[in-house]
Amino acid sequence: MSDSTKIYELKITLSGIKPSIYRTIQIEENRTFFELHVAIQIAFGWENSHMHIFEIGADRIGMSEFDEFEDDHTIEEKTLRLFQTGLNEKDKFEYIYDFGDHWLHEIQLTKILEPKKTFYPKCIKGAMNRPPEDCGGIYGFEDFKEIMGNRKHPKFKEMKTWYGGMYDEELFLKDQINEDFKNFDDLFGYYWRLLSGSGKKKTNEGTKKTK
């Protein structure tokens, strides 16, 4: 990394959920949007099993070969770098993961920093566990939490079996996230191979806590 490369500090918050589920990460300005996608997947513990898109104003940035939007052009995320969008401090944009459950992540560029002698990307802050994959979006997540929070609920055993254990709503493993970020280039290579169909789906541990 060049000494002239700036660091973007991004606060990424899942929209419409209380208490707030968020991660604050630092990432180099010359990373591509595909690399940012991978960083978000790692930071939240998502399983990369659904489509995604970035939206900055009227621009859509994603995998152009899988363009889901017939009325608009998707800018290729594997070649567009963060700094090329002209983002400034306090600017906001969006990342949508899973067009069914529609997990909308609101992203704010909170700071533009000088690089330090450390690894990037890096998670510096966050709170709360992410929703389970395929739980039905915000309303499904609320139902899931209600059921999992009441052992006497008639659907508790069924839901626990579906999830694979107990759900810890407050679980946030910053140290584990950063251990993954220390190997980011290797993990990025894995995600890249997934696009070509040559990799197997990564099981992301750390979002479930069995009791």
Side-chain angles (χ1 to χ4, degrees):
M1 178 177 64
S2 168
D3 289 341
S4 63
T5 300
K6 303 297 184 184
I7 302 300
Y8 284 4
E9 185 171 295
L10 304 174
K11 184 177 181 181
I12 308 164
T13 306
L14 268 174
S15 177
I17 299 176
K18 298 295 182 182
S20 180
I21 301 172
Y22 78 94
R23 306 288 185 263
T24 301
I25 68 170
Q26 295 177 343
I27 189 168
E28 305 98 310
E29 65 174 354
N30 59 357
R31 294 283 190 179
T32 66
F33 275 85
F34 181 66
E35 288 174 299
L36 177 58
H37 155 68
V38 173
I40 294 171
Q41 291 284 308
I42 292 170
F44 281 86
W46 292 121
E47 296 175 5
N48 196 42
S49 56
H50 298 282
M51 300 290 287
H52 67 275
I53 198 82
F54 291 94
E55 294 184 348
I56 302 181
D59 292 331
R60 289 172 171 149
I61 303 165
M63 296 181 289
S64 58
E65 65 266 39
F66 300 117
D67 196 343
E68 293 283 322
F69 304 98
E70 297 179 358
D71 61 337
D72 205 352
H73 173 64
T74 298
I75 301 169
E76 177 53 59
E77 67 181 359
K78 295 194 297 293
T79 54
L80 184 66
R81 300 186 183 277
L82 301 180
F83 74 87
Q84 292 177 314
T85 58
L87 288 167
N88 297 306
E89 285 190 356
K90 309 307 179 185
D91 284 350
K92 296 180 180 180
F93 59 104
E94 296 177 346
Y95 168 80
I96 301 167
Y97 172 62
D98 184 352
F99 299 160
D101 282 3
H102 195 83
W103 299 116
L104 173 61
H105 303 64
E106 298 176 343
I107 305 175
Q108 182 174 35
L109 174 54
T110 56
K111 296 178 183 178
I112 299 177
L113 305 166
E114 298 295 328
K116 295 182 178 180
K117 291 184 177 180
T118 184
F119 62 91
Y120 296 106
K122 170 183 285 188
C123 181
I124 63 167
K125 197 182 298 182
M128 310 301 289
N129 198 354
R130 65 144 171 98
E133 299 266 2
D134 304 314
C135 70
I138 291 175
Y139 297 112
F141 181 43
E142 293 303 318
D143 290 341
F144 169 80
K145 289 192 294 182
E146 179 182 350
I147 293 168
M148 292 294 281
N150 180 7
R151 293 175 181 268
K152 295 183 179 180
H153 195 286
K155 293 185 178 180
F156 173 78
K157 289 184 179 179
E158 177 185 351
M159 190 66 76
K160 181 182 176 183
T161 299
W162 172 80
Y163 181 66
M166 293 299 294
Y167 176 77
D168 184 347
E169 186 176 358
E170 297 184 356
L171 185 67
F172 165 58
L173 302 176
K174 187 177 78 170
D175 289 345
Q176 181 173 316
I177 293 167
N178 282 325
E179 282 302 312
D180 284 342
F181 276 150
K182 288 176 184 177
N183 300 301
F184 182 76
D185 289 336
D186 290 337
L187 287 171
F188 171 74
Y190 167 81
Y191 278 84
W192 186 277
R193 290 192 300 274
L194 275 182
L195 285 181
S196 65
S198 61
K200 295 181 180 179
K201 180 180 174 182
K202 180 177 182 288
T203 300
N204 209 321
E205 303 295 337
T207 59
K208 298 179 183 180
K209 185 176 181 182
T210 51
K211 295 181 180 178

